[in-house]
């Protein structure tokens, strides 16, 4: 094996956490190693004529956030989500907006189901207020599942809440109550939400632009096999190459990070191994309509009882001025439901998703140009009961020489783009401070 020169920092993982760290440290001797053939992790999209196809992360944070600042520095543009984000489709009824408190009375439910839905919704609303005031969200309602918090529900009402929970890639009996409540807090914030913007051109534009700036300092198809101590440095092994580094920022998903950090920080490795991830399955749909569609003013609709759990209108950002032909949708599901569907072929998955799309919006029949399936076995991290106890082992500079730093969306009770980017930035700032101490710069 060839031992490379000593670098200031090696970053393992090219998702938004690793890319944010590399962006902060770009004026230092930094090397980012990504196992996959592209940067960005679940931030993936393809251009599609005047539109774009999003396959994973699609909601960007508000102006003034870290991701927004990086986006602006790269001369990219985010636009606000103006379409409804809290739609709900049950059986043949599609509610595209309105006060959520009215939903139990506008859906085709029995009296028993209406009462149960209204009571559970009120319970969640009251808990959201406590969530916003909680000083430590890792510990908030972290001792029971979301299913236990909600209590017994009629099957149709339970499926409505399960559909929402799968957005976080966890089932009701897997997701911690605090994480489930936090999910509703995020969605109910509406246009003032932290996640109420889209990137014009598609989510993948951001990692592509970061990669272009980083150039050869960001390598793809470079899986890391091991990290070991070497005096007061760390050695990163990637294939036949060994790279010595003063610091390592581990920004890979927790299941991949755990065995790598074990030789340096065993307690952190144990905590990482206990973090929970769920699957995410999406179908991006290019449409070729030539006139307005009934969902033009809508962004997102929850779809309990269908093959997919969420309908999203990715073309809504361009629905200003004269209505242009064509469009872009993303349909997705998560958690165990997604994992089970992944056993099917792409053709079967697309066929089932499109059949439910046509049942929901018959106007889409004969208007499908292309449907592309994307599978994310580690779709997102979510907090399960007891997650709060793992936090202390993950924080700060780790290892005997305090030169191993963790970054990733698992630092939040719900994995989001901004949460991941913030942890990458925090790790980079610690590294930069240590470099300045040593060099007195």
């Amino acid at each position: 094996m060839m031992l490379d020169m000593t670098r200031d920092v090696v970053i393992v993982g090219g998702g938004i956490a690793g890319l944010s760290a590399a962006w902060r440290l770009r004026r230092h001797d930094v090397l980012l190693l990504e196992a996959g053939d592209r940067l960005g992790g679940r931030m993936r999209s393809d251009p599609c004529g005047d539109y774009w196809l999003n396959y994973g992360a699609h909601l960007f944070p508000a102006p003034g956030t870290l991701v927004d600042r990086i986006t602006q520095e790269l001369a990219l543009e985010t636009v606000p989500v103006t379409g409804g984000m809290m739609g709900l489709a049950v059986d043949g009824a599609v509610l595209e907006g309105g006060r959520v408190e009215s939903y139990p009375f506008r859906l085709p439910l029995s009296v028993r189901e209406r009462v149960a839905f209204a009571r559970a919704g009120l319970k969640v609303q009251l808990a959201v207020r406590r969530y916003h005031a909680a000083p430590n969200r890792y510990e908030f309602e972290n001792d029971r599942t979301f299913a236990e918090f909600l209590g017994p529900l009629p099957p149709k009402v339970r499926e409505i809440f399960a559909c929402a929970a799968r957005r976080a890639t966890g089932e009701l009996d897997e997701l911690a109550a605090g994480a489930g409540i936090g999910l509703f807090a995020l969605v109910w914030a509406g246009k003032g939400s932290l996640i109420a913007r889209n990137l014009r051109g598609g989510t993948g534009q951001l990692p592509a632009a970061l990669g272009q700036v980083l150039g050869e300092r960001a390598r793809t198809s470079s899986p890391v096999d091991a990290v070991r101590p070497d005096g007061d440095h760390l050695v990163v092994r990637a294939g036949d190459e060994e790279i010595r580094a003063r610091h390592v920022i581990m920004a890979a998903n927790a299941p991949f990070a755990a065995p790598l950090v074990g030789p340096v920080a065993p307690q952190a490795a144990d905590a990482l191994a206990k973090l929970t991830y769920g699957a995410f399955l999406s179908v991006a749909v290019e449409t070729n309509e030539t006139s307005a569609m009934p969902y033009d003013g809508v962004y997102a609709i929850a779809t309990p009882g269908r093959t997919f759990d969420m309908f999203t209108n990715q073309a809504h950002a361009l629905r200003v001025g004269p209505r242009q032909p064509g469009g872009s949708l993303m349909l997705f599901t998560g958690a165990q439901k997604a994992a089970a569907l992944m056993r099917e072929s792409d053709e079967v998955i697309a066929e089932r998703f499109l059949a439910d799309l046509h049942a929901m919006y018959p106007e889409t029949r004969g208007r499908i140009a292309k449907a592309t399936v994307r599978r994310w076995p580690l779709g997102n991290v979510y907090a399960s009961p007891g997650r709060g106890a793992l936090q202390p082992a993950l924080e700060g500079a780790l290892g005997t020489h305090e030169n191993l730093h963790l970054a990733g969306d698992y630092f939040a009770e719900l994995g989001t783009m901004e949460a991941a980017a913030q942890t990458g930035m925090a790790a980079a700032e610690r590294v930069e401070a240590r470099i300045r101490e040593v060099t007195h710069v």
Side-chain angles (χ1 to χ4, degrees):
M1 289 189 179
M2 182 177 64
L3 195 63
D4 200 353
M5 60 182 284
T6 299
R7 294 182 176 270
D8 288 334
V9 57
V10 170
I11 300 170
V12 181
I16 189 60
L19 288 168
S20 296
W23 177 253
R24 172 68 189 229
L25 296 167
R26 65 191 182 277
R27 295 179 179 85
H28 297 277
D29 184 11
V30 61
L31 176 65
L32 182 149
L33 301 173
E34 163 57 36
D37 61 1
R38 44 171 289 281
L39 299 172
R42 297 181 297 276
M43 299 176 66
R44 182 164 188 167
S45 65
D46 285 326
C48 182
D50 292 333
Y51 302 98
W52 52 87
L53 299 175
N54 276 333
Y55 303 112
H58 56 108
L59 288 169
F60 273 63
T65 56
L66 173 60
V67 171
D68 179 70
R69 292 198 301 272
I70 294 174
T71 300
Q72 289 192 37
E73 288 174 17
L74 292 165
L76 300 174
E77 179 190 5
T78 64
V79 292
V81 171
T82 57
M85 295 182 66
M86 295 181 288
L88 180 59
V90 176
D91 295 337
V94 180
L95 305 183
E96 297 179 347
R99 292 182 63 84
V100 293
E101 295 89 344
S102 71
Y103 283 12
F105 311 103
R106 297 165 60 198
L107 292 170
L109 303 173
S110 68
V111 172
R112 176 172 173 266
E113 289 166 341
R114 292 180 196 276
V115 171
F117 190 13
R119 284 177 174 172
L122 178 60
K123 190 174 185 179
V124 172
Q125 275 193 323
L126 294 174
V128 164
R129 296 177 187 174
R130 292 190 292 116
Y131 174 86
H132 284 306
N136 184 347
R137 290 179 179 172
Y138 295 115
E139 298 291 349
F140 177 75
E141 286 283 359
N142 191 236
D143 58 348
R144 55 178 171 168
T145 67
F146 197 28
E148 290 169 333
F149 167 82
L150 292 170
L153 295 170
K156 186 179 284 189
V157 177
R158 179 183 170 86
E159 177 57 21
I160 291 173
F161 283 95
C163 175
R166 292 187 197 112
R167 295 180 71 169
T169 70
E171 300 290 347
L172 288 177
D173 56 2
E174 296 175 324
L175 200 64
I181 294 162
L183 178 64
F184 278 88
L186 206 59
V187 174
W188 283 347
K191 294 179 176 59
S193 171
L194 178 67
I195 54 166
R197 299 182 76 82
N198 283 162
L199 183 64
R200 189 179 290 274
T203 300
Q205 295 288 315
L206 179 55
L210 285 164
Q212 187 172 10
V213 171
L214 293 170
E216 294 181 354
R217 293 171 292 177
R219 299 182 190 171
T220 56
S221 303
S222 300
V224 170
D225 307 308
V227 178
R228 61 176 173 83
D230 181 26
D232 59 356
H233 292 68
L234 295 172
V235 173
V236 177
R237 189 179 74 217
D240 293 332
E241 185 178 13
E242 287 196 332
I243 307 161
R244 184 185 289 112
R246 295 179 177 86
H247 294 269
V248 168
I249 295 176
M250 183 60 62
N253 284 337
F256 297 115
L260 296 177
V261 306
V264 182
Q267 287 185 319
D270 183 63
L272 288 167
K274 294 175 180 175
L275 295 175
T276 46
Y277 283 73
F280 183 89
L281 177 65
S282 70
V283 176
V285 182
E286 178 189 357
T287 60
N288 57 14
E289 70 273 14
T290 57
S291 59
M293 297 296 271
Y295 49 75
D296 280 352
V298 178
Y299 183 76
I301 302 175
T303 57
R306 289 176 169 79
T307 311
F308 53 88
D309 287 307
M310 288 297 301
F311 165 98
T312 65
N313 175 15
Q314 298 294 310
H316 93 288
L318 301 181
R319 297 296 180 234
V320 292
R323 210 289 190 181
Q324 299 301 311
S328 171
L329 309 174
M330 182 172 70
L331 316 173
F332 64 85
T333 186
Q336 294 179 23
K337 184 177 174 183
L341 279 166
M342 284 183 190
R343 293 194 284 266
E344 303 289 349
S345 67
D346 284 2
E347 292 76 16
V348 168
I349 292 169
E351 181 180 349
R352 292 182 63 183
F353 273 52
L354 291 177
D356 274 350
L357 173 64
H358 297 329
M360 183 176 167
Y361 285 116
E363 297 86 351
T364 59
R365 295 183 185 276
R367 296 290 180 260
I368 307 302
K370 180 172 65 174
T372 305
V373 175
R374 291 292 177 194
R375 304 159 184 260
W376 309 95
L378 297 178
N380 206 353
V381 63
Y382 64 88
S384 54
R387 163 64 181 86
L390 304 177
Q391 191 60 27
L394 303 173
E395 294 184 333
L398 305 173
T400 303
H401 298 285
E402 298 185 339
N403 56 355
L404 176 66
H405 314 263
L406 302 182
D409 55 8
Y410 52 78
F411 276 91
E413 71 281 359
L414 287 167
T416 66
M417 190 186 302
E418 178 69 10
Q422 288 281 1
T423 64
M425 183 63 67
E429 288 173 348
R430 284 197 303 271
V431 168
E432 196 167 48
R434 294 291 295 274
I435 291 172
R436 286 174 176 168
E437 287 177 8
V438 172
T439 59
H440 305 291
V441 175

